[in-house]
Amino acid sequence: MKPGIEGGFLRGAESRGLPLLAVPPAAVFREAPEGADLPIATETQRITRLPVLVLHVHSSCNCRCVMCDIWKTSEVRALQPSDLEPQLPSIRRLGVRWIIFSGGEPLLNRGFPELCAMLKAEGIRLTLLTTGLLLKKDAREVAESFDDVIVSLDGPQEIHDSIRQVPGGFDLIGAGVKAIRTISSGYRITARSTVQKGNFRHLRETIRAAKFLRLDGISFLPVDVTSQAFNRPLVWPIERQNEVGLCAADLTDLEIEIGALIRENAEDIRSGFVTEPPEKLWRIVKHFRAHVGLEEAKSPACNAPWTSAVVEIDGNVRPCFFHPPIGHLRNQSLEDAINSERAREFRAALDIRTNPTCKRCVCSLNYRI
């Protein structure tokens, strides 16, 4: 699943707060304080700088995750260098600094080294979001093409493989991490874990699994079950949501697990090995409490529509994973797409704090350049 960024989204600087996707260098971004005012856009809502860009570079996935429908697609598309090249002037003018390769599974796109070379020539930081199943096979190309990697990790071995529905998937991640580290011993590889019905009682074990795999850190976010992201043609019915999300009866155990994690892994939190500070870990509980109607849903602090964009494999451009498209690269540059009339009207009308989609969001991107 591609949060995010893969099943989720970006993760924050020094990874405190970007949705499921990745960790930018502190020199590039600094996070706005919790509760800080979001950027005041111009009257025209025109964007002249776009620091973060997410590219879906392949439509298919090599996992069969219970929380995602991307793998169910019958269509196979891959972003080609010829698709990307016309957008380079626009990317340059917008000052894009960080691009995240998402999907589907990006490594299924066999042209990824050429795509990366084009972007690295622009001085752009590149992050790979991956299931990890192909890391060993593509270790050298990955190490040479990307600045860092984020793998999906959904629990210790048995639980991870069950959720991903790929026997041996956990071991493949381990073999891939070892292969990359053989090439580049200091290469940064982290994990993100989607909290859901199948693993919410095993978050501490998931941290131990990340250490066993010799990863550099791990982040957690709640599963999204209410949007049409991740190749869902329609919002899941309640029955399907309940198969993956938590119900009211699960919440006590989740609170116990989060509380124990905060106590027992205090040093991991302090060091940043666990991305989220305690208040953001408790936010996972609040998300599920709101989902079952035990408290009011509250939007995270977020400025994604003003600082980032998501380009899907069909050319649709979204302000984030969860809001509708605002443009299309079929007949527009990226610059024109994010500043289309539809895009500017969307941003002008968007109130993050009250928007229903934002209030249900599992992610947040809240950065100042």
Side-chain angles (χ1 to χ4, degrees), residues 10 28 39 49 51 98 103 115 143 149 152 186-187 192 199 204 217 232 234 239 253 292 298 302 307 319 322 366:
L10 306 175
V28 174
R49 305 221 32 210
W98 181 33
L115 292 169
V149 170
S152 298
Y187 194 89
R192 66 108 181 95
N199 65 8
R204 288 168 292 167
R232 299 170 189 157
L234 298 171
E239 295 78 10
D253 284 354
V292 299
K298 182 179 179 182
C302 179
T307 59
F322 304 104
N366 190 27

Side-chain angles (χ1 to χ4, degrees), residues 93-159:
R93 287 191 296 270
L94 287 168
V96 175
R97 301 180 183 183
W98 181 33
I99 291 181
I100 299 94
F101 276 44
S102 184
E105 168 53 54
L107 297 183
L108 291 175
N109 185 329
R110 303 315 299 164
F112 77 85
E114 187 175 352
L115 292 169
C116 290
M118 294 172 67
L119 294 168
K120 288 184 89 63
E122 302 292 329
I124 296 171
R125 180 179 180 85
L126 300 180
T127 292
L128 170 66
L129 298 180
T130 177
T131 64
L133 302 183
L134 295 175
L135 284 180
K136 180 180 179 181
K137 175 178 179 292
D138 294 328
R140 184 161 298 279
E141 290 84 357
V142 167
E144 293 174 352
S145 299
F146 295 96
D147 294 285
D148 63 288
V149 170
I150 301 174
V151 299
S152 298
L153 180 64
D154 291 310
Q157 183 171 15
E158 184 177 351
I159 290 171

Side-chain angles (χ1 to χ4, degrees), residues 57-228:
V57 299
H58 202 277
S59 61
S60 301
C61 190
N62 50 8
C63 280
R64 300 169 61 85
C65 302
V66 299
M67 64 284 194
C68 176
D69 288 343
I70 290 175
W71 57 272
K72 296 179 181 180
T73 183
S74 59
E75 185 177 48
V76 178
R77 292 191 188 182
L79 182 72
Q80 302 298 324
S82 58
D83 300 321
L84 180 62
E85 188 171 14
Q87 298 301 329
L88 291 179
S90 187
I91 288 172
R92 197 176 299 129
R93 287 191 296 270
L94 287 168
V96 175
R97 301 180 183 183
W98 181 33
I99 291 181
I100 299 94
F101 276 44
S102 184
E105 168 53 54
L107 297 183
L108 291 175
N109 185 329
R110 303 315 299 164
F112 77 85
E114 187 175 352
L115 292 169
C116 290
M118 294 172 67
L119 294 168
K120 288 184 89 63
E122 302 292 329
I124 296 171
R125 180 179 180 85
L126 300 180
T127 292
L128 170 66
L129 298 180
T130 177
T131 64
L133 302 183
L134 295 175
L135 284 180
K136 180 180 179 181
K137 175 178 179 292
D138 294 328
R140 184 161 298 279
E141 290 84 357
V142 167
E144 293 174 352
S145 299
F146 295 96
D147 294 285
D148 63 288
V149 170
I150 301 174
V151 299
S152 298
L153 180 64
D154 291 310
Q157 183 171 15
E158 184 177 351
I159 290 171
H160 174 86
D161 290 354
S162 174
I163 288 174
R164 295 266 146 184
Q165 300 191 87
V166 177
F170 184 91
D171 289 338
L172 283 172
I173 293 174
V177 171
K178 182 178 179 179
I180 291 176
R181 293 272 169 71
T182 299
I183 296 166
S184 177
S185 60
Y187 194 89
R188 183 170 176 80
I189 309 174
T190 58
R192 66 108 181 95
S193 186
T194 304
V195 180
Q196 58 191 280
K197 177 81 79 173
N199 65 8
F200 75 95
R201 294 184 176 92
H202 305 277
L203 305 185
R204 288 168 292 167
E205 291 179 66
T206 305
I207 294 172
R208 291 195 288 272
K211 292 180 177 180
F212 174 81
L213 293 171
R214 307 198 63 168
L215 298 174
D216 294 305
I218 186 169
S219 61
F220 294 94
L221 80 163
V223 67
D224 167 67
V225 296
T226 60
S227 79
Q228 289 180 257

Side-chain angles (χ1 to χ4, degrees), residues 20 32 50 143 209 236 256 261 267 303 310:
L20 155 223
L50 190 79
W236 277 349
I256 291 171
L261 188 164
E267 177 57 26
N303 59 9
V310 177

Side-chain angles (χ1 to χ4, degrees), residues 208-360:
R208 291 195 288 272
K211 292 180 177 180
F212 174 81
L213 293 171
R214 307 198 63 168
L215 298 174
D216 294 305
I218 186 169
S219 61
F220 294 94
L221 80 163
V223 67
D224 167 67
V225 296
T226 60
S227 79
Q228 289 180 257
F230 317 121
N231 197 45
R232 299 170 189 157
L234 298 171
V235 174
W236 277 349
I238 294 298
E239 295 78 10
R240 181 75 175 98
Q241 293 182 30
N242 291 340
E243 291 174 7
V244 177
L246 274 60
C247 63
D250 296 324
L251 294 179
T252 298
D253 284 354
L254 176 63
E255 291 173 2
I256 291 171
E257 182 67 15
I258 292 287
L261 188 164
I262 291 170
R263 291 191 307 274
E264 297 175 17
N265 295 91
E267 177 57 26
D268 293 322
I269 295 171
R270 189 202 65 77
S271 69
F273 185 87
V274 173
T275 292
E276 291 78 16
E279 60 269 22
K280 290 190 176 179
L281 290 168
W282 284 119
R283 190 182 294 165
I284 297 172
V285 177
K286 289 178 175 293
H287 173 83
F288 286 115
R289 285 181 57 83
H291 177 66
V292 299
L294 294 180
E295 63 179 78
E296 184 179 356
K298 182 179 179 182
S299 302
C302 179
N303 59 9
W306 291 272
T307 59
S308 69
V310 177
V311 178
E312 297 179 317
I313 194 64
D314 61 1
N316 270 328
V317 179
R318 294 178 183 263
C320 70
F321 283 92
F322 304 104
H323 282 288
I326 54 175
H328 200 288
L329 299 189
R330 181 191 304 112
N331 51 14
Q332 292 178 304
S333 69
L334 176 62
E335 201 171 12
D336 289 339
I338 65 170
N339 288 308
S340 67
E341 183 177 0
R342 187 193 319 174
R344 288 183 283 116
E345 289 177 351
F346 166 79
R347 290 190 291 269
L350 180 62
D351 182 346
I352 297 287
R353 295 176 178 87
T354 61
N355 182 273
T357 297
C358 296
K359 290 178 73 171
R360 293 191 299 267

